[in-house]
Amino acid sequence: KTDNKLCIVSSVVPSLNSTIKNSFLKKKLKLYLVNPKNIPLNICINYKLNQIGSDRIANYVAVHNKKISNCIVIDFGTATTFDVIKNSEYFGGLIFPGITLSMNSLVNNAEMLKNSNISKVKKITARDTAASIQSGFYFGYLHAINGILRQIIKENKFRPKIYITGGLGKIFKDKIEFNPIYSEYLTLEGIRVIGKHINDE
């Protein structure tokens, strides 16, 4: 039976929401689009609610469910996002260009460059173009991430746990400061928690 099945959708492409909704309704499935204005949890979001991505909400919910009151979540997606949780509240964050997006932009706009794989690099000085791109992206993002973390911690005067999620997070996890925890499916964990609370209502 499908009448008691609930589909939770976390979408950051609003233009596709109606298409997604219609496809589920045709199958007579109950649908919930993650929306910051009606999350069925006792949470506090200090952010413009009509501007926060549902993926960032899901990350916050996952951390909140783990009873972590002070945390920074770094999500390596299309954009690299930093979400700050302070005293159990969503306190804001920042959005940084995504690694793959930046790589594609560089390659597409520089005729002499060919695509290069994004991977962990041991030495910063390279001796060919492909290796130079790899080094630039790996060390460039690594130092940017560590610098951003230090500034967030200094500005907020707290000692947070650091969570990393998203596919490319694993190549940085060993070099990011403050002993980060890599949780590849953190966003999905948050979506599951939201779905469980909706079903329990």
Side-chain angles (χ1 to χ4, degrees), residues 83-136:
D83 295 307
V84 179
I85 293 86
K86 184 176 180 181
N87 298 327
S88 297
E89 298 181 1
Y90 184 91
F91 214 64
L94 62 94
I95 300 172
F96 196 66
I99 302 172
T100 302
L101 187 68
S102 296
M103 170 76 81
N104 292 339
S105 178
L106 176 65
V107 171
N108 290 337
N109 289 283
E111 191 173 323
M112 296 296 290
L113 299 181
K114 293 183 179 179
N115 206 356
S116 179
N117 293 324
I118 298 170
S119 59
K120 193 172 182 179
V121 177
K122 291 183 178 180
K123 293 184 178 181
I124 197 166
T125 305
R127 300 187 185 278
D128 63 66
T129 300
S132 293
I133 294 172
Q134 287 179 332
S135 177

Side-chain angles (χ1 to χ4, degrees), residues 43-190:
I43 57 176
C44 180
I45 301 175
N46 290 312
Y47 203 93
K48 288 188 176 181
L49 295 183
N50 63 338
Q51 294 183 13
I52 186 170
S54 60
D55 53 341
R56 301 175 77 183
I57 297 168
N59 288 338
Y60 167 43
V61 168
V63 170
H64 189 274
N65 190 60
K66 296 176 188 290
K67 311 296 184 186
I68 299 170
S69 56
N70 293 302
C71 182
I72 300 171
V73 178
I74 309 171
D75 190 343
F76 292 82
T78 304
T80 301
T81 57
F82 292 72
D83 295 307
V84 179
I85 293 86
K86 184 176 180 181
N87 298 327
S88 297
E89 298 181 1
Y90 184 91
F91 214 64
L94 62 94
I95 300 172
F96 196 66
I99 302 172
T100 302
L101 187 68
S102 296
M103 170 76 81
N104 292 339
S105 178
L106 176 65
V107 171
N108 290 337
N109 289 283
E111 191 173 323
M112 296 296 290
L113 299 181
K114 293 183 179 179
N115 206 356
S116 179
N117 293 324
I118 298 170
S119 59
K120 193 172 182 179
V121 177
K122 291 183 178 180
K123 293 184 178 181
I124 197 166
T125 305
R127 300 187 185 278
D128 63 66
T129 300
S132 293
I133 294 172
Q134 287 179 332
S135 177
F137 272 85
Y138 178 73
F139 284 106
Y141 271 85
L142 175 62
H143 291 300
I145 290 162
N146 282 330
I148 289 169
L149 283 176
R150 287 193 294 269
Q151 187 163 341
I152 291 173
I153 291 169
K154 181 179 179 181
E155 183 178 289
N156 289 281
K157 298 177 182 178
F158 71 155
R159 298 179 64 183
K161 288 184 179 292
I162 310 298
Y163 267 82
I164 303 170
T165 191
L168 287 174
K170 58 192 169 196
I171 72 172
F172 293 97
K173 63 179 181 178
D174 295 334
K175 295 296 183 180
I176 290 177
E177 298 173 5
F178 310 106
N179 300 313
I181 300 164
Y182 179 65
S183 180
E184 185 174 1
Y185 303 111
L186 188 70
T187 310
L188 293 177
E189 284 181 38

